[in-house]
Amino acid sequence: MFKAYSTRVGAGPLTTELDDEVGQDIRERAWEYGTTTGRPRRVGWFDGLAARYSATINGFTSAVLTRLDVLDGINPVKICTAYEADGKRIHRFPSEPGLLERATPVWEEMPGWSAPTAGITNKSQLPPEAAAYVRRIEDVIGCPIDLISTGPRRDESIVVRPIILR
């Protein structure tokens, strides 16, 4: 399961962190604050390398994308597709200790969407730009997204392919 953007609680590297008005806007829209402490969560663009690494080591055959509606009206949207560190471009999540702290993101910028995705339950209803964003995330992580959350309620989801077979 992946959010349509990245978050982190506490210290440590968040390569795609947004220390700007966009990050603050996403944090407020999504109410990204700790449940117990109330501390603001750190927010960043989608980190494709971290997501692909997670999908690979966990053997995902499909994924869930949540909170797509949070990005409604934000233009452009970005996906981190590589890192740069020590003068090199890195296309895999690093295993070298400390490298992630030195890394900067390489962005793929995509057009945002102005039509709302909130509450959509059919993939064909997604704005074309939102559908392209989802497709690109699938390409980057290497597996299909079979469920897309478009709001906080359970019925505010797009079931592309059932993830639980009976």
Side-chain angles (χ1 to χ4, degrees):
M1 182 178 325
F2 302 104
K3 289 181 184 174
Y5 54 91
S6 298
T7 60
R8 181 161 181 139
V9 175
L14 178 59
T15 309
T16 65
E17 188 164 10
L18 291 167
D19 248 346
D20 61 9
E21 293 166 6
V22 174
Q24 187 158 348
D25 184 30
I26 292 171
R27 181 181 300 110
E28 292 301 317
R29 289 171 179 227
W31 198 247
E32 290 288 356
Y33 291 90
T35 306
T36 304
T37 65
R39 288 191 340 218
R41 290 189 183 106
R42 296 163 58 200
V43 175
W45 289 118
F46 189 85
D47 187 333
L49 276 73
R52 182 174 57 232
Y53 178 73
S54 176
T56 300
I57 65 167
N58 289 296
F60 291 176
T61 56
S62 72
V64 173
L65 186 68
T66 65
R67 312 210 80 181
L68 182 64
D69 57 302
V70 170
L71 300 181
D72 290 356
I74 297 177
N75 189 31
V77 292
K78 297 179 184 181
I79 298 173
C80 175
T81 57
Y83 304 136
E84 286 187 355
D86 305 332
K88 298 177 192 163
R89 187 159 286 194
I90 303 159
H91 295 279
R92 294 177 178 254
F93 194 78
S95 59
E96 179 186 320
L99 194 129
L100 199 56
E101 288 86 348
R102 298 189 308 274
T104 58
V106 175
W107 301 118
E108 183 170 318
E109 192 170 289
M110 301 181 72
W113 49 94
S114 56
T117 63
I120 288 178
T121 58
N122 189 306
K123 194 173 181 182
S124 68
Q125 298 171 321
L126 284 174
E129 299 86 357
Y133 183 73
V134 171
R135 279 192 308 274
R136 185 61 184 130
I137 288 174
E138 288 176 319
D139 291 343
V140 169
I141 65 175
C143 68
I145 293 172
D146 286 335
L147 183 69
I148 304 166
S149 163
T150 59
R153 295 194 322 260
R154 185 172 294 199
D155 64 335
E156 295 177 313
S157 297
I158 299 168
V159 178
V160 178
R161 186 178 69 160
I163 58 174
I164 299 175
L165 302 175
R166 298 179 192 251

